[in-house]
Amino acid sequence: MQQNEQLENQPDEQLEKQQKERRDFLGCLGGAIACGAATVVASAASSAAVAATAGGAVPPIPNFDWSKHQWAFGVDAERCIGCLRCVEACKRENNVAPDAHHFRTWVERYVTLEGEEKARIDSQADPANIAASGTDGQYRFANRYKDAKVEKAFFVPKLCNHCTHPACVQVCPTGATYKTEDGAVLIDHTYCIGCQYCVQACPYGARFFNEEKGVTDKCTWCYHRITKGLQPACVEVCPVSARIFGDRNDKQSLISQFIQNHRVQVLRPETGNAPNVFYVGIDKDVS
Amino acid sequence: MPRHIVRLVLIMVGFAVLAYGAKQFFTVDSFYQYGHYRGSSVADIASDKPKYKGTAYCASCHAPQLAEWSNGIHNRPDIGKVVRCEVCHSAGGERDVRGTFEHVSTGPDHPKNLKMVVPKDTRQLCTLCHERMTGRPLQQRQIVVAEHAGTQQCSVCHNPHSPRLNLVSAASTAQAGDAAAGKAKAAACAGCHGAEGVSVNAPGPTLAGQHAAYLHDALKAYIEGTRSDPMMNAGAQGLSDDDAANIAAYYAGVTCVSSLDAAKQATLQDKTTAPKCAACHGADGNSTNPSWPKLIGLSKAYLVNSLKAYKGGARKNGMMAGVVKDMSDADMDNVAAYYANATCK
C-alpha cells in the first residue's frame, strides 16, 4: 500500500478518499484473483497427480489391453480400383448420414490430362459421380475421362491420419477429442460442444460436422472392431487389399511388413502432425 | 472498506466457490483418468457392435453359396483379392437407427428382421469393379460394358458366386481321341443315339457333329457319376477315359448340317429367350466354343428335359444354372421349339 501513502499528500480530500477506496477495492480484487488462481493451480496439480497415478490403468474393454498395441494404416494406391466399397461399408458400419456430403473415409481420383499441369481431382461427392450412381446414398465413379487424352490417372483412398501429434486434439477446448494409448484419435460425443475448431485445425480435412447430433465426427479406425480383433470395415470389404491395417508392435503384422517392404510416405509431413497412415503409389499432387 | 464493496467482494468470492464446486461436481470421475478427457468414453466407443460380420458368419446358414464362392475367382486370398459376401449383399449385422438405406433390401426379411441386399441389377454391381475406367490399375480385369455385354445383365452369363467362365476345359487340352477306335466302340450306342449318332425318335439325343470336348466332358460326367440318367448310366458302363475320348472324336467328326427353318424361327423369335443363349450356343445353335455344346440336332423333348434338369439341379453347371433360374416352363418350351427346328441330315 505504498502508493496510498504517496497519494495522501494530495490536497483534494474528496478525490483522495475516492481514489483510496478504488485502490482498496482493486487490492481486494487482486487478492481474490490470487486466491482463485491458487485454488486452480492446486486443483490442476491434484488432477495432474491423479493422471500420473493412473498411468498404468487400462480402460475396461474385454480381452483388450491398449498398452500392447500401436495401430497403423497403410494405403496402396497402386492397387486401388476406385470401386468405393470402402466408402459404403464405412457409412453402414458407423451410421454416417447416407448422403454425399458426410464421409469418414473417401476416395479421390487424380487425373492429369495431356498438356495440363495440375491434376483434376474428384471424389464420390462430385455431382457428376452422384449422377452416375443415381442417388446420393450410393457411390460410384462416373466414367467421365473415357474419351479424354489422359497422361496419368489413379485413385487414392483417404481417411483420418490418427497423427502422433494431432493438431485437432490440441485445439479442443473441452477434452472431447483425444489420442488413446494404442494410437487412435477418438471423439467423445457427449463432451463435444460442436465448436468445430478441430475441423479447422485438421490439415487433411478428415473431420466433418454431424448436423444431426451437433458434434464433429471422423474415422475411428473402427475402434469398436479393432478392439475385438477385427479389421476396420473398409479394410474388410476392400476387394484388392489396397487398404492395410494392423499393429506395429507385431513385426509380422501386415502393416509392419507393408512399411518394411515399401517406400512409404505420409501426407503433408511439413505440418508436423506425424500421420500414422502410410501411402504407397501417390505423387506430388496428392496432399 | 465501505460495506457495499465488502458485499460485492463477498458475492464474487461466493461465485468463485460455487463455480469451483460446480466444476468438481459436474466433471465425471473418469476425466483425467488417462489424460485430459473422459476416460470412460474409450470403453463406450469400443462397445459398439460390429455390423460387418465376415464370411464365416454367413457360412453357418448359406453353405451352398459359400462353397461356390470359395472355389471361385472372387476368393483369391493368395493374391490378396477377395470379394466377400457383404461387399455385394451389404452388412449382415444390425443396421443403423435410421432404419435401412433406401437402396437396401429387396428380398424377404432375413433373420432378425434384417433385409439383405439381393443385387438384381448386376450391371450396376459388377461394373463398380469391372468397367474399363481411366485410373483403374491394369491388373484388375476390366471390360467395355457395351461391347462385352450389350444390354444384358452380367448374371445371364456369369454366376455371381463364381464368375469366371471356364473356356478351355480339361478335355479339350487333353490329347484328341482316335476316331477310328471310337467308331468301333460306338456301335453299342447306335440303339439309343441312332446310326452315325443322328437320333430319330431314339431315346438318346443326337450326338453327331457335337464338339468333341463337350462330348468327352459329358461322358466323363456319366462315368464319374456327376451326371446321371437311368438309360445312359448303363450306356457309359465300362467305358474308360480313353474310350470316351475316342468316341467323342468319332461323333464330332460325323457331319451334322444345321438347316434352321428361318420362317418358323421368325415367328417364334419374340416369344423366346433365344437371344440370351446366342452368346454361348451361337446364333443358330451352332456354338463355336469347344466346351459349350451345340444345340443343333437336339429334339425338343431333350432340350426341355435338359433345361428342367439344370433348373431342378439334377444337372449341375454354373452357367446354365444362372441362365435357367428365371425361365418359366413356357419360356423353356418356346426356346426348345426354336432350337429344335435345327435338324441334322
Side-chain angles (χ1 to χ4, degrees):
Chain A
M1 295 287 146
Q2 279 175 333
Q3 285 171 332
N4 286 345
E5 282 163 13
Q6 284 167 8
L7 287 172
E8 264 167 339
N9 300 334
Q10 294 214 352
D12 192 334
E13 277 188 19
Q14 185 78 18
L15 179 71
E16 185 191 313
K17 193 162 176 261
Q18 275 180 3
Q19 290 193 335
K20 180 170 177 339
E21 281 171 358
R22 195 183 298 152
R23 280 181 174 68
D24 281 354
F25 171 70
L26 289 174
C28 279
L29 192 64
I33 290 171
C35 278
T39 53
V40 167
V41 167
S43 70
S46 70
S47 56
V50 169
T53 53
V58 170
I61 303 171
N63 306 320
F64 180 77
D65 180 350
W66 73 359
S67 62
K68 297 211 165 61
H69 301 276
Q70 199 58 52
W71 306 116
F73 202 100
V75 172
D76 189 343
E78 282 175 14
R79 292 182 80 111
C80 179
I81 61 173
C83 67
L84 297 171
R85 295 310 84 203
C86 47
V87 174
E88 229 167 89
C90 173
K91 288 233 174 190
R92 304 228 168 108
E93 182 69 37
N94 297 298
N95 292 346
V96 181
D99 59 38
H101 307 287
H102 299 83
F103 295 99
R104 287 187 176 195
T105 185
W106 67 101
V107 179
E108 290 169 358
R109 170 165 60 184
Y110 290 75
V111 178
T112 315
L113 298 184
E114 271 176 29
E116 288 190 355
E117 243 165 51
K118 282 183 91 178
R120 297 174 179 224
I121 308 172
D122 65 344
S123 79
Q124 70 283 349
D126 190 280
N129 296 333
I130 296 175
S133 79
T135 79
D136 2 358
Q138 275 172 297
Y139 313 101
R140 129 186 323 267
F141 277 109
N143 206 348
R144 64 204 292 188
Y145 298 106
K146 190 163 50 183
D147 303 318
K149 289 205 163 118
V150 175
E151 201 161 85
K152 63 174 176 183
F154 52 90
F155 295 99
V156 182
K158 293 260 184 98
L159 66 160
C160 170
N161 282 290
H162 296 267
C163 307
T164 307
H165 307 297
C168 53
V169 170
Q170 243 169 45
V171 301
C172 180
T174 64
T177 188
Y178 53 91
K179 190 157 176 74
T180 64
E181 202 100 318
D182 45 346
V185 175
L186 301 180
I187 302 176
D188 178 358
H189 279 172
T190 51
Y191 265 42
C192 177
I193 56 171
C195 69
Q196 302 189 51
Y197 280 175
C198 53
V199 177
Q200 301 290 324
C202 176
Y204 306 103
R207 289 174 168 249
F208 62 92
F209 192 62
N210 180 337
E211 284 89 359
E212 204 176 298
K213 288 198 206 158
V215 296
T216 38
D217 210 342
K218 72 166 193 71
C219 161
T220 62
W221 275 345
C222 284
Y223 200 68
H224 60 293
R225 294 177 64 89
I226 60 178
T227 50
K228 296 181 179 71
L230 300 169
Q231 294 274 301
C234 57
V235 178
E236 169 86 12
V237 299
C238 180
V240 290
S241 305
R243 289 170 177 257
I244 295 114
F245 181 81
D247 185 356
R248 292 193 73 181
N249 285 351
D250 172 4
K251 295 297 166 217
Q252 296 310 312
S253 71
L254 288 175
I255 189 66
S256 298
Q257 295 286 320
F258 180 74
I259 293 169
Q260 213 173 69
N261 298 335
H262 293 86
R263 271 166 281 176
V264 296
Q265 68 187 93
V266 296
L267 301 180
R268 296 187 193 237
E270 71 280 5
T271 62
N273 284 273
N276 285 307
V277 176
F278 299 92
Y279 282 84
V280 161
I282 58 176
D283 71 6
K284 62 170 177 30
D285 290 321
V286 183
S287 62
Chain B
M1 206 162 38
R3 283 180 60 200
H4 68 282
I5 299 293
V6 173
R7 266 195 235 119
L8 185 66
V9 169
L10 282 178
I11 288 172
M12 289 172 69
V13 169
F15 182 75
V17 169
L18 209 69
Y20 182 71
K23 178 174 179 282
Q24 293 301 78
F25 182 74
F26 286 115
T27 307
V28 292
D29 286 345
S30 72
F31 209 86
Y32 293 121
Q33 192 180 2
Y34 312 114
H36 181 71
Y37 56 92
R38 190 169 63 92
S40 54
S41 73
V42 182
D44 281 358
I45 292 171
S47 70
D48 271 5
K49 285 209 180 65
K51 300 195 180 67
Y52 279 78
K53 298 275 200 177
T55 41
Y57 170 76
C58 319
S60 51
C61 303
H62 293 295
Q65 283 85 6
L66 188 91
E68 229 175 353
W69 172 85
S70 304
N71 298 323
I73 187 78
H74 276 164
N75 182 26
R76 292 289 308 278
D78 52 322
I79 53 168
K81 295 192 175 179
V82 182
V83 188
R84 295 189 171 79
C85 311
E86 286 162 307
V87 174
C88 298
H89 291 294
S90 178
E94 324 258 322
R95 265 217 202 96
D96 75 67
V97 284
R98 249 182 287 264
T100 52
F101 291 82
E102 290 138 55
H103 61 289
V104 160
S105 105
T106 45
D109 284 358
H110 207 250
K112 292 202 194 147
N113 296 328
L114 175 71
K115 292 194 167 189
M116 297 302 290
V117 176
V118 181
K120 283 285 168 243
D121 193 351
T122 47
R123 277 174 78 81
Q124 283 286 324
L125 174 73
C126 311
T127 50
L128 283 168
C129 301
H130 288 297
E131 183 177 11
R132 182 172 301 280
M133 193 181 283
T134 316
R136 196 158 272 171
L138 288 180
Q139 73 259 25
Q140 174 66 9
R141 303 302 191 113
Q142 304 165 42
I143 50 140
V144 178
V145 181
E147 288 169 14
H148 182 87
T151 56
Q152 298 184 84
Q153 290 291 337
C154 315
S155 52
V156 166
C157 300
H158 297 276
N159 172 355
H161 295 141
S162 182
R164 178 182 251 167
L165 302 181
N166 237 341
L167 290 188
V168 185
S169 72
S172 54
T173 51
Q175 58 171 356
D178 177 349
K183 184 170 184 181
K185 275 272 174 196
C189 324
C192 291
H193 289 287
E196 302 267 276
V198 178
S199 163
V200 184
N201 295 329
T206 292
L207 303 177
Q210 188 57 282
H211 291 302
Y214 171 74
L215 289 175
H216 190 176
D217 277 352
L219 282 169
K220 270 208 303 207
Y222 286 117
I223 295 168
E224 288 163 6
T226 48
R227 191 174 162 184
S228 170
D229 174 83
M231 275 188 269
M232 188 52 211
N233 287 350
Q237 214 162 35
L239 289 184
S240 70
D241 191 43
D242 280 345
D243 293 338
N246 294 342
I247 295 171
Y250 163 67
Y251 280 124
V254 184
T255 41
C256 165
V257 183
S258 165
S259 59
L260 275 176
D261 181 341
K264 196 167 175 199
Q265 235 187 339
T267 61
L268 281 165
Q269 189 121 30
D270 52 354
K271 276 188 278 167
T272 67
T273 15
K276 251 170 101 172
C277 326
C280 296
H281 291 291
D284 50 1
N286 198 0
S287 101
T288 50
N289 183 305
S291 300
W292 297 342
K294 297 179 181 179
L295 300 181
I296 51 175
L298 297 173
S299 70
K300 186 178 169 204
Y302 177 75
L303 288 169
V304 172
N305 277 346
S306 302
L307 292 174
K308 285 191 174 149
Y310 287 121
K311 187 158 185 177
R315 270 183 87 170
K316 288 190 180 55
N317 180 273
M319 285 174 233
M320 283 308 294
V323 170
V324 296
K325 189 151 53 190
D326 299 326
M327 283 176 85
S328 65
D329 284 358
D331 289 339
M332 293 185 186
D333 232 46
N334 287 336
V335 77
Y338 176 87
Y339 282 113
N341 287 331
T343 50
C344 285
K345 289 184 189 127

